[in-house]
Amino acid sequence: MTSSAANCPVAIRIQEDDFDIAREIAVLTRSRTDIGAVVSFSGLCRADEDSSKIAALTLEHYPGMAEEEIKRHVDEAMSRWPLNGVTVIHRVGRFRPGQNIVLVLTASQHRRAAFEAAEFLMDYLKTSAPFWKKEESATGTGWVEAHARDDEAAARWTRS
Amino acid sequence: MTSSAANCPVAIRIQEDDFDIAREIAVLTRSRTDIGAVVSFSGLCRADEDSSKIAALTLEHYPGMAEEEIKRHVDEAMSRWPLNGVTVIHRVGRFRPGQNIVLVLTASQHRRAAFEAAEFLMDYLKTSAPFWKKEESATGTGWVEAHARDDEAAARWTRS
Amino acid sequence: MKVKYFAWVRERIGKAEEMIEPPATVRTVEELIAWLSGQNEAYAYAFEKPKIIRTAIDHAHVKADATIAGAREIAFFPPMTGG
Amino acid sequence: MKVKYFAWVRERIGKAEEMIEPPATVRTVEELIAWLSGQNEAYAYAFEKPKIIRTAIDHAHVKADATIAGAREIAFFPPMTGG
């Protein structure tokens, strides 16, 4: 899913393949001289999720809704901050500790907008985008439970 | 300048050469399974600094003090957030719009620590690390003035 | 209408999607959950704690009191854990 | 002691560093700035607004009332604009 508005190209992809952060940043910034700040967030599979040892994580998503939900939040981010580009890539499938899961890239003239928009998007990806993690450990497999801290993180962005 | 403490490798470099974000992230995360979040900030030379058109920027620094000042703030960040790795690269020399100037990378188990530490380091690089920018425009050359907004950004992190 | 299930809701019900025809008295999401729960043990297990089940109608999050009239696709799933 | 100048402070004074020997009555950073300003027009121009000049002693930021006793290297520069 790609779109463009107000000089802010948007790319949203859900894929099994890994991503290349340098390539994604190059796509966002090439031939442009109005971008002063690029923030990237990459989320990786860890071996230790809340004290249990993880052998692998499997990511499931709701095709169609996942892309649309991310798009809604990217649009919301673009309405809040003066952004010059946004890329969101969420991988699905089975991952080993150390592997990439998610990438959020934001570009802006100034760093504060890029930082805040990236954090906003990650907080909403965690709590609102239809993805679910199942973890495999020595004691079996189970679905990861949602964290109250993620709801609290997303609630920071609610406009009163 | 490299060091390591509490499983948090630190690399601080001041150089003329460009940096490769993907390579720097790979160095920080390879062979590790305890990192869940990597935030990168890259700062680029823009063509429009406060409405005047920039042809080039020249970055000057205070060798010795610059590295030490960055190290002090990296140590401060490590005492505030549970970090698993920090890389700071600041380029010096003459830059055209679109070129990279600075890179801050932070790695942590969770995203909030990585985001906050990266933003903290950037705010202090802007206001406290001994670097100065001279800009060339159609009307001549001049030293960039410090922004009050940068002092305010850094002041957010002052502990009362 | 089409109904989809994800994560452990899917696993408990034992299917990813199906077509259903609830009676006209079932008007809201919570009424649909109650009606599905009455189908058999598998649905009852999936919806045993209806308050934690999240619902989307036509790809948009909705609350338990949302009307299902006109919905083409309704999805039930646990709280999201992506990112 | 060694003194270093950066950015427009360096350009106005016309040199990047020098060795100086201020009299014993010059004890603080602000006294040193005042003494340097009296050397000639170039120094007076560089330090014409002493409040905006930043100072580091042995690579650490210090305030205008800091003592210069024991300093090996003192640097004067405008507010930083890196990052």
Side-chain angles (χ1 to χ4, degrees):
Chain A
M1 190 184 291
T2 60
S3 64
S4 181
N7 216 15
C8 179
V10 172
I12 295 167
R13 299 205 302 275
I14 296 169
Q15 62 189 38
E16 296 193 3
D17 293 341
D18 198 5
F19 46 78
D20 176 341
I21 297 176
R23 189 186 155 279
E24 299 300 333
I25 291 177
V27 167
L28 218 57
T29 58
R30 70 183 164 207
S31 310
R32 295 189 72 155
T33 59
D34 57 339
I35 291 174
V38 177
V39 168
S40 89
F41 175 88
S42 32
L44 291 80
C45 178
R46 277 182 297 122
D48 56 323
E49 181 71 40
D50 296 329
S51 83
S52 62
K53 276 286 168 195
I54 305 291
L57 274 181
T58 300
L59 261 291
E60 170 178 334
H61 78 301
Y62 182 175
M65 178 174 172
E67 292 86 344
E68 289 171 36
E69 189 64 20
I70 294 170
K71 181 64 166 60
R72 276 191 280 270
H73 289 297
V74 171
D75 288 344
E76 169 79 12
M78 287 165 62
S79 78
R80 290 183 176 217
W81 293 281
L83 299 177
N84 291 336
V86 178
T87 299
V88 178
I89 301 176
H90 204 305
R91 297 178 70 193
V92 290
R94 185 164 176 275
F95 304 103
R96 295 284 189 180
Q99 290 191 293
N100 286 322
I101 294 176
V102 62
L103 175 69
V104 168
L105 276 188
T106 54
S108 185
Q109 273 201 298
H110 296 291
R111 69 190 182 286
R112 185 72 82 90
F115 271 118
E116 289 190 351
E119 208 170 354
F120 168 89
L121 288 170
M122 276 309 305
D123 286 346
Y124 274 100
L125 273 175
K126 286 269 177 187
T127 56
S128 168
F131 292 85
W132 300 273
K133 286 193 185 104
K134 192 174 195 173
E135 60 186 35
E136 298 167 37
S137 67
T139 56
T141 67
W143 293 93
V144 174
E145 285 194 44
H147 291 291
R149 65 165 182 260
D150 288 326
D151 290 326
E152 288 155 15
R156 290 185 297 155
W157 305 102
T158 305
R159 290 198 258 209
S160 54
Chain B
M1 192 183 292
T2 61
S3 62
S4 181
N7 217 17
C8 179
V10 172
I12 296 167
R13 300 205 299 275
I14 296 170
Q15 61 189 40
E16 296 192 4
D17 293 341
D18 199 4
F19 46 78
D20 176 342
I21 297 176
R23 189 186 155 278
E24 299 300 333
I25 291 178
V27 166
L28 219 55
T29 58
R30 72 181 163 209
S31 311
R32 294 188 71 154
T33 60
D34 56 339
I35 292 173
V38 178
V39 168
S40 88
F41 174 88
S42 32
L44 291 79
C45 178
R46 278 184 297 122
D48 55 323
E49 181 71 40
D50 297 328
S51 85
S52 62
K53 277 285 168 194
I54 305 291
L57 275 182
T58 299
L59 262 290
E60 168 178 335
H61 78 300
Y62 182 175
M65 179 175 172
E67 292 86 344
E68 289 169 35
E69 189 65 19
I70 295 171
K71 180 65 166 60
R72 276 190 280 271
H73 289 296
V74 171
D75 288 343
E76 170 80 12
M78 287 166 63
S79 78
R80 289 184 177 216
W81 292 281
L83 300 176
N84 291 335
V86 178
T87 299
V88 177
I89 301 175
H90 203 308
R91 297 178 70 192
V92 291
R94 186 164 176 275
F95 304 103
R96 295 285 189 179
Q99 289 191 292
N100 285 322
I101 294 176
V102 63
L103 174 69
V104 168
L105 276 189
T106 53
S108 184
Q109 273 202 297
H110 296 289
R111 69 189 181 286
R112 184 72 82 88
F115 271 119
E116 290 189 351
E119 208 170 354
F120 167 89
L121 287 170
M122 277 309 305
D123 285 345
Y124 274 99
L125 274 174
K126 286 270 177 187
T127 56
S128 169
F131 292 85
W132 300 272
K133 288 193 184 100
K134 191 173 195 174
E135 60 186 35
E136 298 167 38
S137 69
T139 55
T141 67
W143 293 93
V144 175
E145 285 194 42
H147 291 290
R149 64 166 183 261
D150 288 326
D151 289 326
E152 288 155 15
R156 290 184 299 155
W157 305 102
T158 304
R159 291 199 258 210
S160 54
Chain C
M1 67 187 64
K2 185 190 279 188
V3 186
K4 291 191 171 194
Y5 310 110
F6 292 95
W8 54 255
V9 175
R10 170 177 53 71
E11 288 182 340
R12 289 183 180 189
I13 290 174
K15 49 188 137 185
E17 62 178 79
E18 64 183 321
M19 297 301 295
I20 59 167
E21 290 182 31
T25 53
V26 172
R27 296 162 199 273
T28 65
V29 164
E30 60 197 334
E31 287 167 1
L32 180 58
I33 288 176
W35 180 75
L36 284 165
S37 298
Q39 302 296 297
N40 65 39
E41 283 301 305
Y43 291 94
Y45 179 39
F47 294 117
E48 67 180 352
K49 290 176 181 165
K51 285 209 161 86
I52 66 169
I53 299 293
R54 306 297 180 93
T55 307
I57 293 182
D58 296 337
H59 292 175
H61 292 292
V62 296
K63 298 201 167 158
D65 61 359
T67 176
I68 63 171
R72 289 186 309 277
E73 182 173 300
I74 301 187
F76 296 106
F77 41 78
M80 284 74 63
T81 55
Chain D
M1 66 186 66
K2 185 190 279 187
V3 185
K4 291 191 171 194
Y5 311 110
F6 293 95
W8 53 255
V9 176
R10 171 177 52 71
E11 289 182 340
R12 290 183 180 189
I13 291 173
K15 50 188 133 181
E17 63 177 78
E18 64 184 320
M19 298 301 296
I20 59 166
E21 289 180 33
T25 52
V26 172
R27 296 163 200 271
T28 66
V29 164
E30 59 197 335
E31 287 168 2
L32 180 58
I33 288 175
W35 180 76
L36 284 165
S37 298
Q39 302 297 298
N40 64 40
E41 281 301 304
Y43 290 94
Y45 179 39
F47 294 115
E48 67 181 350
K49 291 175 182 167
K51 285 210 161 86
I52 65 168
I53 299 293
R54 307 298 179 94
T55 308
I57 294 184
D58 296 335
H59 293 176
H61 292 292
V62 295
K63 298 200 166 159
D65 61 359
T67 175
I68 61 171
R72 290 186 308 275
E73 183 173 299
I74 300 187
F76 297 105
F77 41 80
M80 284 75 62
T81 55

